[in-house]
């Protein structure tokens, strides 16, 4: 794990570089915590790639995020890099949260999804994460439907494709 910064560095924002080689190196909470530090790196490329690896690792190990919940919540309030934000959007539903936190995440993700200044990837990932939170609080369905209808009116293909996908899945919850 000594070479994490080197593996996360180099190239451009359009490339993942060698970040995928890090995934298999994250074997426990300590490894993850070492990786997590790079989410706050001054180099935008390093932070983006760290966010990508964190997102991929926590698909199967969401419990690694628990220790970093406060940092993730704080980062959501201050993040400016769209490449980090789109990964954060996917991380939020993986955190262990109470009802108040869920509603705060719901508000954040709704804002990200409906903000036309956000990148389309941030917006698509926010829609997906709202759907994931909806599974935990089905009484938010009316609010979710209103958000989706608002987004559909923009007629953006990537947003409409995700909306179509989640609408098919809603009937299963």
């Amino acid at each position: 794990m000594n070479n994490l910064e080197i593996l996360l560095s180099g190239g451009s924002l359009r490339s993942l570089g060698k970040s995928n080689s890090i995934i298999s190196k994250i074997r426990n909470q300590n490894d993850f915590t070492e990786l997590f530090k790079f989410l706050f790196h001054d180099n935008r490329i390093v932070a983006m790639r760290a966010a990508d690896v964190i997102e991929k690792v926590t698909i199967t190990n969401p419990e690694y995020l628990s220790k970093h919940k406060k940092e993730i919540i704080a980062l959501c309030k201050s993040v400016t890099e769209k490449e980090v934000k789109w990964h954060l959007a996917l991380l939020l539903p993986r955190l262990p949260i109470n009802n108040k936190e869920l509603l705060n995440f719901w508000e954040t993700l709704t804002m990200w999804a409906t903000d036309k200044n956000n990148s389309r990837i941030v917006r698509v990932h926010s829609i997906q994460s709202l759907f994931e939170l909806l599974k935990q609080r089905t009484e938010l369905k009316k609010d979710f439907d209103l958000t989706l209808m608002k987004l559909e009116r923009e007629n953006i293909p990537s947003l409409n494709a995700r909306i179509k996908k989640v609408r098919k899945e809603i009937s299963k919850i």
Side-chain angles (χ1 to χ4, degrees):
M1 298 294 286
N2 295 339
N3 299 324
L4 265 182
E5 188 169 4
I6 294 168
L7 292 171
L8 293 168
S9 299
S12 73
L13 285 168
R14 295 177 187 231
S15 152
L16 292 177
K18 297 176 183 173
S19 61
N20 281 334
S21 67
I22 297 171
I23 296 169
S24 64
K25 297 178 187 326
I26 308 301
R27 296 186 186 108
N28 56 49
Q29 183 68 55
N30 289 336
D31 293 343
F32 184 82
T33 295
E34 188 173 333
L35 168 66
F36 193 83
K37 294 173 189 173
F38 290 96
L39 192 57
F40 303 91
H41 200 280
D42 290 342
N43 182 320
R44 186 174 172 187
I45 292 171
V46 171
M48 179 269 298
R49 290 184 183 152
D52 178 66
V53 175
I54 288 166
E55 190 262 313
K56 289 174 180 172
V57 166
T58 60
I59 290 170
T60 55
N61 296 289
E63 69 278 5
Y64 290 165
L65 291 171
S66 297
K67 182 177 177 182
H68 305 285
K69 183 166 121 175
K70 287 182 182 178
E71 294 164 287
I72 293 168
I73 291 169
L75 187 57
C76 285
K77 294 175 183 176
S78 65
V79 66
T80 56
E81 299 86 4
K82 64 184 176 185
E83 301 85 6
V84 173
K85 191 184 261 188
W86 75 54
H87 293 292
L88 282 176
L90 294 173
L91 294 179
L92 291 178
R94 297 178 191 168
L95 288 167
I97 52 176
N98 61 37
N99 284 336
K100 182 180 177 187
E101 290 166 330
L102 187 143
L103 293 174
N104 287 337
F105 290 176
W106 187 268
E107 184 179 313
T108 297
L109 291 166
T110 300
M111 182 178 61
W112 288 358
T114 57
D115 183 350
K116 294 177 183 179
N117 293 317
N118 273 326
S119 77
R120 290 183 182 173
I121 298 173
V122 169
R123 297 178 78 193
V124 165
H125 286 186
S126 296
I127 293 166
Q128 183 63 43
S129 289
L130 284 167
F131 174 68
E132 296 303 322
L133 290 175
L134 180 65
K135 292 177 186 178
Q136 297 175 45
R137 292 280 299 268
T138 56
E139 68 271 16
L140 293 169
K141 186 179 181 310
K142 184 177 179 180
D143 185 66
F144 186 60
D145 286 338
L146 290 171
T147 299
L148 295 183
M149 287 188 317
K150 179 180 180 179
L151 293 170
E152 282 175 318
R153 286 193 293 268
E154 292 182 42
N155 202 25
I156 297 172
S158 58
L159 296 180
N160 288 345
R162 185 55 51 119
I163 291 167
K164 183 178 178 182
K165 181 179 177 182
V166 296
R167 284 191 194 265
K168 285 182 183 179
E169 295 294 316
I170 285 176
S171 63
K172 298 177 185 177
I173 59 173

